[in-house]
C-alpha cells in the first residue's frame, strides 16, 4: 500500500485494557487516509490473565507494518508516563505525533480535521490538545462540543490538577484558541514536539499534564485547543480494567519521587533527592521561555499555589474541610505540648518574650487609645506571656486559640479576671464575636495561603472595626505556599491578599511589622 504523506505516529499506552482493540479499529476505520497511520503501542498486560487486551489479529493483518507493539509484562510497568516514554522509542520519523489513551473512539475524518486545524494556526510550532469528549460503550456518544481546559486546583502535595468546561461549537473561534494546558489523552502536533520534549518516564500520573504543558511551552511550542470535536474517551468506571495503582505495590514510592521531581522543576521546593532527579536535564524545562513567563501567561503561581491571584486548592485539599481541620489542631497542639519553638520563657516562641515585645506593648497601648479600642479579640492568643500586661487595661479581652489544653490552662490561670475570657477556636472556620479590633500577630504566617484567606474573610464578617496583623515590610515580596505549622513571612499587600498599605504600622525588626487595616479593606468571598 502506498504511503500517504503526511504520516501520523499515534502513541497509545495500554495497561491491561480490553478496549485497546476497539480503539485501534476506530483509528483506522474513521481516518480519511488510514494508510498514513503508524501506531506505537506499549502493551502492558499479563499474558495469562489478559488474553483480550491485545491488538486483534484481523487488524494486524489488515494493516501490515502499521502497528508497532512493545509488549511489557504488567508487573514490570512503572506507570503511564513510563509507558508513554517507551512508546516514543517506536517512532520512525513520521511527520506528526498523536498521543491518545487506549479506550477512545475517533470522529469520522479525525486525521484531516486535526491537520486542517493545525494549518489554521499562525505558528508552525503549535500543538493541539484538550480533553476528549465522553462516550459510554458501546455507542453512546456525547454531543460534539467545545472543550476548554482550566485548573481544577492544587492537591495537598502542590500538584496542579486540571478539568474542563463545555460550550457549544457555535461559540468556537475560527482559529483554535491559545491555551496553557495539555491533555495527556489527546495531543497532536508536528513530531518535532516529541523529539524536542520527550516524555519524562520518571513521572507517574499526578502532574503529568501540567508538566508536559510547561515543558512544551518553555521549549517554544504554542498550545492551542481544537475548535472541532476529534475524539471520545470512556471516562466511566471500568471494573474489568485494573489500574496500575491498584495492581502494583510500589506505585506510591514511584509517585512520591515524581512529586518531588515536579516540585523541583516548578520551583516549589529546593533541591530534590538524587533518586528523584535522575536525568533531570534531559526532561527539564526549555529555554525559549522562562517558568515565570509561563506563570504570567497561564495565571498560575506555582510557589504560592494561586490561579489568577487567588488560592487554587482542589476541593479535596481545601483548608476548611476534613482532614485539614483535625490536622491543623493536631499540629498546633503538638507544637505547644512539645515547645517546638524552643523558647524557655514562653511556648509561643522567641517573638513573644517580654524583651521582644517591649516597644510593641507601648505602641499598642497608645494606638488603642487613639483608635478607641476597648474590646479586643486576640486571634491566636498563645500563652499570653506578653499580652497579660496589656489585657487588664481593656474593657473586654477575648482570647482565641486552637489548642484545647492551652485554652483550659488560660481559663484557670486568669479565672479571677472579670474582663478576660478564652475560647477554643479554629480561625479558619469559626467566626469571632464583634469587637473593636482583632489582633492577629504571628498567626497567618503559620497557615497555608488559602487558610489565611479564609481567616481574613472571617475577620471582615465579624463586625470588628480594625485588624492588627503581622505582615512583611517589603511590599513587593511574593508570598509562598506554606505547610501548616511551619513559618514563612506573609505579605498582606501581595496576592492572594492584595490589601492596601496599612493605615498605621509598627516596625518589629527584620522584615516584620504589625500593620493596622480597617476591616472593610479585608477580602470578602
Amino acid at each position: 500500500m502506498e504511503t500517504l504523506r503526511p504520516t501520523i505516529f499515534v502513541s497509545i499506552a495500554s495497561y491491561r485494557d480490553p478496549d485497546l482493540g476497539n480503539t485501534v479499529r476506530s483509528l483506522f476505520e474513521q481516518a480519511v487516509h488510514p494508510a498514513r497511520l503508524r501506531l506505537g503501542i506499549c502493551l502492558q498486560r499479563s499474558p495469562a490473565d489478559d488474553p483480550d487486551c491485545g491488538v486483534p489479529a484481523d487488524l494486524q493483518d489488515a494493516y501490515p507494518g502499521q502497528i508497532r507493539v512493545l509488549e511489557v509484562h504488567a508487573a514490570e510497568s512503572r506507570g503511564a508516563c513510563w509507558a508513554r516514554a517507551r512508546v516514543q522509542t517506536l517512532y520512525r520519523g513520521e511527520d506528526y505525533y498523536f498521543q491518545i489513551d487506549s479506550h477512545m473512539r475517533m470522529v469520522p475524518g479525525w486525521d484531516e480535521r486535526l491537520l486542517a486545524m493545525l494549518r489554521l494556526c499562525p505558528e508552525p510550532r503549535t500543538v493541539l490538545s484538550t480533553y476528549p469528549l465522553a462516550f459510554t460503550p458501546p455507542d453512546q456518544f456525547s454531543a460534539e462540543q467545545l472543550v476548554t481546559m482550566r485548573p481544577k486546583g492544587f492537591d495537598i502535595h502542590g500538584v496542579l490538577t486540571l478539568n474542563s468546561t463545555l460550550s457549544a461549537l457555535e461559540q468556537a473561534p475560527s482559529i483554535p484558541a491559545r491555551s496553557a494546558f495539555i491533555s495527556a489523552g489527546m495531543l497532536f502536533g508536528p513530531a518535532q514536539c516529541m523529539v524536542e520534549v520527550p516524555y519524562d518516564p520518571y513521572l507517574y500520573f499526578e502532574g503529568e499534564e501540567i508538566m508536559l504543558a510547561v515543558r512544551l511551552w518553555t521549549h517554544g511550542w504554542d498550545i492551542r485547543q481544537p475548535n472541532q470535536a476529534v475524539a471520545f474517551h470512556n471516562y466511566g468506571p471500568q471494573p474489568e480494567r485494573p489500574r496500575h495503582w491498584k495492581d502494583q505495590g510500589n506505585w506510591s514510592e514511584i509517585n512520591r519521587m515524581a512529586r518531588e521531581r515536579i516540585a523541583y522543576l516548578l520551583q516549589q521546593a529546593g533541591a530534590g533527592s538524587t533518586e528523584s532527579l535522575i536525568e533531570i536535564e534531559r526532561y527539564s524545562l526549555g529555554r525559549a521561555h522562562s517558568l515565570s513567563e509561563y506563570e504570567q501567561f497561564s495565571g498560575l503561581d506555582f510557589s504560592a499555589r494561586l490561579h489568577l491571584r487567588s488560592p487554587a486548592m482542589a476541593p479535596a485539599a481545601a483548608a476548611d474541610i476534613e482532614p485539614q481541620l483535625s490536622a491543623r489542631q493536631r499540629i498546633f497542639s503538638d507544637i505547644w505540648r512539645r515547645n517546638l519553638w524552643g523558647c524557655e520563657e514562653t511556648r509561643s516562641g522567641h517573638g513573644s518574650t517580654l524583651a521582644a515585645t517591649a516597644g510593641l506593648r507601648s505602641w499598642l497601648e497608645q494606638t488603642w487609645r487613639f483608635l478607641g479600642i476597648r474590646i479586643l479579640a486576640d486571634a491566636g492568643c498563645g500563652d499570653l506571656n506578653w499580652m497579660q500586661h496589656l489585657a487588664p487595661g481593656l474593657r473586654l479581652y477575648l482570647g482565641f486559640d486552637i489548642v484545647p489544653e492551652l485554652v483550659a490552662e488560660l481559663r484557670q490561670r486568669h479565672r479571677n479576671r472579670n474582663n478576660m475570657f478564652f475560647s477554643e477556636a479554629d480561625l479558619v472556620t469559626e467566626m469571632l464575636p464583634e469587637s473593636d479590633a482583632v489582633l492577629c500577630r504571628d498567626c497567618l504566617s503559620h497557615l497555608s495561603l488559602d487558610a489565611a484567606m479564609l481567616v481574613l474573610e472571617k475577620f471582615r464578617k465579624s463586625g470588628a472595626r480594625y485588624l492588627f496583623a503581622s505582615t512583611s515590610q517589603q511590599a513587593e515580596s511574593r508570598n509562598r505556599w506554606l505547610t501548616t505549622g511551619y513559618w514563612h513571612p506573609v505579605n498582606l499587600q501581595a496576592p492572594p491578599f492584595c490589601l492596601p498599605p496599612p493605615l498605621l504600622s509598627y516596625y518589629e525588626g527584620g522584615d516584620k511589622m504589625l500593620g493596622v487595616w480597617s476591616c472593610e479593606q479585608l477580602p470578602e468571598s
Side-chain angles (χ1 to χ4, degrees):
M1 182 180 296
E2 182 181 355
T3 300
L4 295 176
R5 304 288 290 183
T7 51
I8 300 174
F9 178 72
V10 184
S11 166
I12 307 175
S14 177
Y15 187 84
R16 305 188 67 181
D17 191 351
D19 201 32
L20 170 64
N22 295 322
T23 300
V24 171
R25 192 177 304 277
S26 180
L27 281 163
F28 283 110
E29 292 182 353
Q30 300 299 333
V32 175
H33 300 293
R36 65 164 39 123
L37 306 185
R38 300 291 182 271
L39 275 56
I41 301 171
C42 183
L43 180 59
Q44 305 154 91
R45 65 174 177 173
S46 171
D49 300 326
D50 306 318
D52 59 341
C53 293
V55 180
D58 69 303
L59 288 174
Q60 301 205 45
D61 292 340
Y63 303 100
Q66 292 182 252
I67 303 174
R68 305 163 191 160
V69 178
L70 176 63
E71 185 159 356
V72 179
H73 196 287
E76 299 175 4
S77 170
R78 292 181 61 84
C81 297
W82 175 87
R84 296 193 204 278
R86 295 296 303 275
V87 171
Q88 291 182 348
T89 66
L90 300 174
Y91 172 69
R92 298 292 182 268
E94 288 77 17
D95 300 295
Y96 291 91
Y97 177 73
F98 187 36
Q99 178 175 295
I100 63 171
D101 285 332
S102 57
H103 32 279
M104 293 177 62
R105 303 291 184 270
M106 312 309 296
V107 303
W110 64 268
D111 54 335
E112 284 299 305
R113 283 195 185 192
L114 284 170
L115 290 167
M117 281 188 281
L118 205 58
R119 285 193 291 267
L120 292 173
C121 299
E123 298 292 333
R125 291 171 59 83
T126 295
V127 297
L128 299 171
S129 187
T130 196
Y131 287 131
L133 294 162
F135 88 97
T136 302
D139 56 5
Q140 296 181 34
F141 295 90
S142 62
E144 294 193 8
Q145 294 177 284
L146 181 69
V147 184
T148 301
M149 295 183 67
R150 61 180 180 83
K152 179 180 181 181
F154 292 90
D155 67 16
I156 59 173
H157 303 289
V159 178
L160 185 71
T161 57
L162 304 170
N163 60 11
S164 60
T165 56
L166 298 174
S167 55
L169 278 180
E170 290 76 17
Q171 300 176 17
S174 57
I175 297 175
R178 296 189 77 189
S179 171
F181 308 112
I182 289 289
S183 161
M186 194 172 77
L187 168 65
F188 181 77
Q192 187 62 25
C193 74
M194 176 200 68
V195 175
E196 292 183 13
V197 189
Y199 231 81
D200 188 343
Y202 301 103
L203 298 184
Y204 182 65
F205 179 75
E206 298 170 357
E208 170 189 16
E209 294 179 322
I210 189 60
M211 282 310 308
L212 186 55
V214 175
R215 290 179 62 219
L216 281 166
W217 200 88
T218 57
H219 275 85
W221 288 89
D222 198 24
I223 303 171
R224 292 180 179 263
Q225 62 181 26
N227 58 359
Q228 298 182 58
V230 176
F232 297 88
H233 186 285
N234 182 5
Y235 294 102
Q238 301 168 63
E240 77 286 355
R241 178 175 167 251
R243 303 304 177 98
H244 186 275
W245 52 88
K246 295 287 187 180
D247 230 7
Q248 307 293 339
N250 65 340
W251 78 269
S252 59
E253 178 62 14
I254 299 173
N255 200 29
R256 182 195 65 78
M257 289 190 292
R259 289 197 301 262
E260 194 172 295
R261 188 178 184 89
I262 292 168
Y264 172 82
L265 288 170
L266 297 184
Q267 300 177 16
Q268 294 173 305
S273 63
T274 301
E275 61 182 0
S276 67
L277 300 184
I278 299 172
E279 293 190 274
I280 195 66
E281 291 300 323
R282 174 170 169 75
Y283 303 105
S284 190
L285 307 190
R287 298 180 179 179
H289 300 293
S290 67
L291 178 62
S292 62
E293 287 175 317
Y294 177 83
E295 289 180 314
Q296 293 174 20
F297 172 63
S298 64
L300 293 166
D301 183 331
F302 290 108
S303 64
R305 303 187 192 179
L306 308 179
H307 179 237
L308 301 179
R309 298 163 63 92
S310 296
M313 298 305 297
D320 55 353
I321 66 169
E322 288 288 356
Q324 280 72 29
L325 297 176
S326 56
R328 197 157 43 244
Q329 184 177 81
R330 183 175 64 253
I331 289 167
F332 287 109
S333 293
D334 189 53
I335 290 171
W336 182 78
R337 289 173 192 142
R338 299 167 59 189
N339 189 20
L340 292 182
W341 303 135
C343 179
E344 293 184 3
E345 180 182 324
T346 167
R347 295 192 201 184
S348 295
H350 296 281
S352 293
T353 64
L354 294 179
T357 59
L360 173 65
R361 281 180 278 143
S362 175
W363 179 81
L364 281 174
E365 284 185 313
Q366 297 176 41
T367 304
W368 289 347
R369 284 196 297 269
F370 173 70
L371 296 176
I373 306 302
R374 301 293 293 146
I375 301 175
L376 179 73
D378 191 351
C381 62
D383 62 7
L384 245 67
N385 183 63
W386 63 275
M387 178 54 71
Q388 62 185 321
H389 299 284
L390 295 182
L394 294 163
R395 184 164 69 86
L396 185 61
Y397 170 87
L398 306 171
F400 301 90
D401 204 281
I402 196 172
V403 181
E405 298 96 326
L406 173 57
V407 171
E409 180 181 304
L410 290 171
R411 287 172 174 167
Q412 177 63 24
R413 191 193 315 158
H414 299 283
R415 62 187 181 279
N416 295 325
R417 299 274 193 180
N418 60 11
N419 73 325
M420 296 174 65
F421 299 90
F422 302 93
S423 298
E424 178 189 334
D426 185 334
L427 303 175
V428 175
T429 58
E430 298 180 49
M431 187 79 68
L432 300 185
E434 186 174 349
S435 62
D436 292 323
V438 174
L439 173 64
C440 188
R441 180 175 180 263
D442 292 340
C443 178
L444 300 179
S445 55
H446 294 293
L447 297 176
S448 61
L449 293 178
D450 63 323
M453 277 289 286
L454 291 172
V455 170
L456 292 183
E457 290 172 2
K458 292 288 192 302
F459 289 166
R460 179 187 177 98
K461 293 177 181 177
S462 74
R465 291 191 290 128
Y466 295 102
L467 169 66
F468 289 67
S470 301
T471 186
S472 169
Q473 188 186 25
Q474 305 299 323
E476 70 278 3
S477 62
R478 290 176 60 184
N479 288 307
R480 293 186 62 87
W481 183 261
L482 175 79
T483 300
T484 298
Y486 288 83
W487 180 89
H488 193 276
V490 63
N491 180 4
L492 294 179
Q493 292 180 246
F497 311 108
C498 301
L499 297 188
L503 305 172
L504 301 167
S505 61
Y506 175 80
Y507 173 59
E508 293 202 50
D511 188 43
K512 174 183 167 186
M513 70 178 180
L514 191 72
V516 182
W517 288 269
S518 165
C519 283
E520 293 180 350
Q521 298 174 305
L522 302 183
E524 57 182 333
S525 55

